[in-house]
Amino acid sequence: MECVAVQGKQTNKTRGRAALVLAALLTALIALVAGCSTGGTATPVSQSEQDPDVSVTQEPAVGSTDVSPRDPVSVTASGGTLQDVALTSPSGKVVQGTLSADRSSYTITEPLGYGATYTWSGTAVGASGDTSPVDGTFTTVDPDSVTSVTTYIADGQEVGIAAPIILKFDAPVADKAAVEKALTVTTTPQTVGSWAWLPDDGGSRVHWRPRDYWTPGTTVHVAGNLYGVDYGDGAYGESDFTLDFTVGRSQIVKADATSHRMKVIRDGATIMDIPVSYGEGNEDRNVTRSGVHVVTEKHEDFLMSNPPYYENVRERWAVRISNNGEFIHANPATTGVQGSANVTNGCINLSLSDAEEYFGTAMYGDPVEVTGTRLDLSAADGDIYDWAIDWSTWQSMSALPDSDAGTTASGDGGTPAALPTR
């Protein structure tokens, strides 16, 4: 029997319909919530929204440390172009660089400072407008010490045909090969020669000499791209250098001790043939050394000492030919035996007039070829004994293997870097 509803109450039939409606609403609500949850099915994200179509590569890598100031430094945008890219030093200075024509790469063109942190800035923009930042830092090496170098020939100097190129470092160089690789010699005309490392003398020293005497008129360019070079043992190169000089006329002194005479030969012609006296005696210290000496300096007046024989004796027209104390100079005290006997303490004695005349012709780098004495010039006789070493031995004194060292000076000597960015 169907129940009849009274006011304020529902029949069984009405309550059934309401339950169905409520169930439908709950089902719809559950479906809506499920669709918004992580476990539901989401609308797919396009590839362009997941990954930008431009990527950035930086060299050195972001966060790198102990970077050499001469290492390549660049940023490259793959699939896009660069905008407002800059590398900034700790002081806020923007480091010089160049942007490629297609704007896809930016390269630093000046050396960096030692022990400094550099910061990138800028943006890489892809074809679709997506962007990637250019940012991050890297830090250059902080050396324990820096090593400087001195050249014996002055820039623009004219030298004699036996002048070696001498580089003197203010400290020992551990990695000589690395330093030698950074040195170039360019000559016109081409000249066969080689570097050789001589024993340290308060610091390392390396000489470059031609196989034979220089050709008169040769122009020479030396470049040392040493800044940023790792010398080993925590030391690095302090700075770059260049040196340009020319070779002058050919002048050779032929000094035969057995003849008691000395000849000065200029461009193949004898311009002086004079009586002299050489050093002999029982003590080796007083023997003029046989071998190719090199003129290094000259003085109109010079105080000479050779204890116990004499001290602070004023000599005139003195031309130094070795650091062992050998000079060509005037000595009136031996004038009577010049041309007939060798009585000096190692020097080559001339008359006052002959010494003055020779003095006026002498030039740094002129060879003085002494022969006829019982002792040879050697490493014990000063800093320039280069020509006392035979050519094959000289080549073996290079720090580089034959395949890398090379013996012909030619080509581009390189362009030293500007002052580093601090």
Side-chain angles (χ1 to χ4, degrees):
M1 180 178 66
E2 184 178 359
C3 294
V4 179
V6 289
Q7 189 175 4
K9 296 190 177 183
Q10 297 177 314
T11 65
N12 289 338
K13 188 175 183 179
T14 302
R15 285 197 297 270
R17 291 194 185 107
L20 291 173
V21 172
L22 180 58
L25 289 173
L26 289 173
T27 301
L29 181 60
I30 291 170
L32 178 62
V33 172
C36 294
S37 70
T38 56
T41 302
T43 303
V45 178
S46 68
Q47 184 66 32
S48 63
E49 292 173 331
Q50 291 180 8
D51 298 305
D53 59 2
V54 59
S55 62
V56 172
T57 302
Q58 292 165 238
E59 186 180 4
V62 172
S64 295
T65 58
D66 292 334
V67 175
S68 169
R70 295 198 84 114
D71 282 351
V73 178
S74 65
V75 58
T76 303
S78 177
T81 58
L82 297 170
Q83 292 185 359
D84 303 322
V85 174
L87 183 68
T88 307
S89 74
S91 64
K93 180 182 180 296
V94 175
V95 183
Q96 295 178 11
T98 57
L99 185 64
S100 65
D102 62 0
R103 304 181 64 86
S104 66
S105 64
Y106 183 81
T107 304
I108 296 304
T109 57
E110 65 173 311
L112 306 180
Y114 284 126
T117 298
Y118 291 85
T119 304
W120 282 110
S121 61
T123 305
V125 182
S128 65
D130 295 325
T131 63
S132 287
V134 177
D135 55 15
T137 64
F138 63 88
T139 303
T140 54
V141 66
D142 189 9
D144 294 336
S145 62
V146 292
T147 302
S148 63
V149 65
T150 301
T151 60
Y152 277 39
I153 299 173
D155 206 44
Q157 186 174 347
E158 186 178 62
V159 303
I161 59 173
I165 301 167
I166 300 175
L167 305 182
K168 176 66 182 297
F169 297 87
D170 68 353
V173 173
D175 192 345
K176 292 179 172 62
V179 171
E180 192 173 329
K181 285 179 181 179
L183 303 174
T184 57
V185 178
T186 307
T187 68
T188 303
Q190 290 189 356
T191 304
V192 176
S194 176
W195 291 105
W197 292 85
L198 279 63
D200 286 7
D201 181 17
S204 292
R205 51 185 177 149
V206 63
H207 294 199
W208 194 99
R209 57 154 266 220
R211 180 183 59 194
D212 306 304
Y213 292 153
W214 294 102
T215 300
T218 298
T219 60
V220 184
H221 174 75
V222 186
N225 295 332
L226 297 174
Y227 176 74
V229 174
D230 185 351
Y231 284 26
D233 292 342
Y236 281 74
E238 180 183 54
S239 61
D240 294 340
F241 78 90
T242 59
L243 171 64
D244 292 276
F245 65 92
T246 58
V247 179
R249 80 291 179 272
S250 169
Q251 178 164 300
I252 304 172
V253 170
K254 298 284 188 178
D256 180 7
T258 62
S259 72
H260 313 300
R261 300 188 69 83
M262 185 183 92
K263 293 181 180 181
V264 181
I265 301 172
R266 171 79 64 86
D267 296 324
T270 300
I271 61 172
M272 296 183 71
D273 186 350
I274 54 178
V276 300
S277 181
Y278 297 89
E280 280 294 351
N282 294 328
E283 293 192 50
D284 290 349
R285 63 186 294 176
N286 295 326
V287 177
T288 305
R289 284 3 186 201
S290 288
V292 178
H293 300 62
V294 177
V295 171
T296 56
E297 59 185 86
K298 59 183 187 177
H299 307 272
E300 291 186 19
D301 290 276
F302 194 77
L303 293 178
M304 293 189 184
S305 297
N306 187 9
Y309 302 100
Y310 56 85
E311 288 191 57
N312 295 324
V313 175
R314 181 190 178 213
E315 302 290 1
R316 298 277 290 157
W317 311 115
V319 177
R320 184 188 289 275
I321 60 173
S322 176
N323 272 353
N324 67 358
E326 291 175 315
F327 284 81
I328 300 173
H329 67 91
N331 188 352
T334 63
T335 301
V337 297
Q338 290 170 14
S340 60
N342 296 327
V343 299
T344 80
N345 293 311
C347 293
I348 303 175
N349 284 181
L350 288 65
S351 70
L352 194 61
S353 60
D354 285 343
E356 182 178 3
E357 182 180 352
Y358 168 67
F359 182 94
T361 72
M363 177 187 293
Y364 178 90
D366 285 344
V368 176
E369 301 176 353
V370 178
T371 56
T373 68
R374 61 184 177 81
L375 293 177
D376 291 333
L377 187 73
S378 70
D381 294 304
D383 57 354
I384 303 181
Y385 55 94
D386 302 25
W387 298 97
I389 302 171
D390 67 84
W391 178 240
S392 61
T393 301
W394 182 266
Q395 288 179 295
S396 72
M397 294 163 65
S398 165
L400 300 176
D402 293 342
S403 59
D404 295 333
T407 57
T408 301
S410 62
D412 184 2
T415 302
L419 292 175
T421 298
R422 303 297 183 188

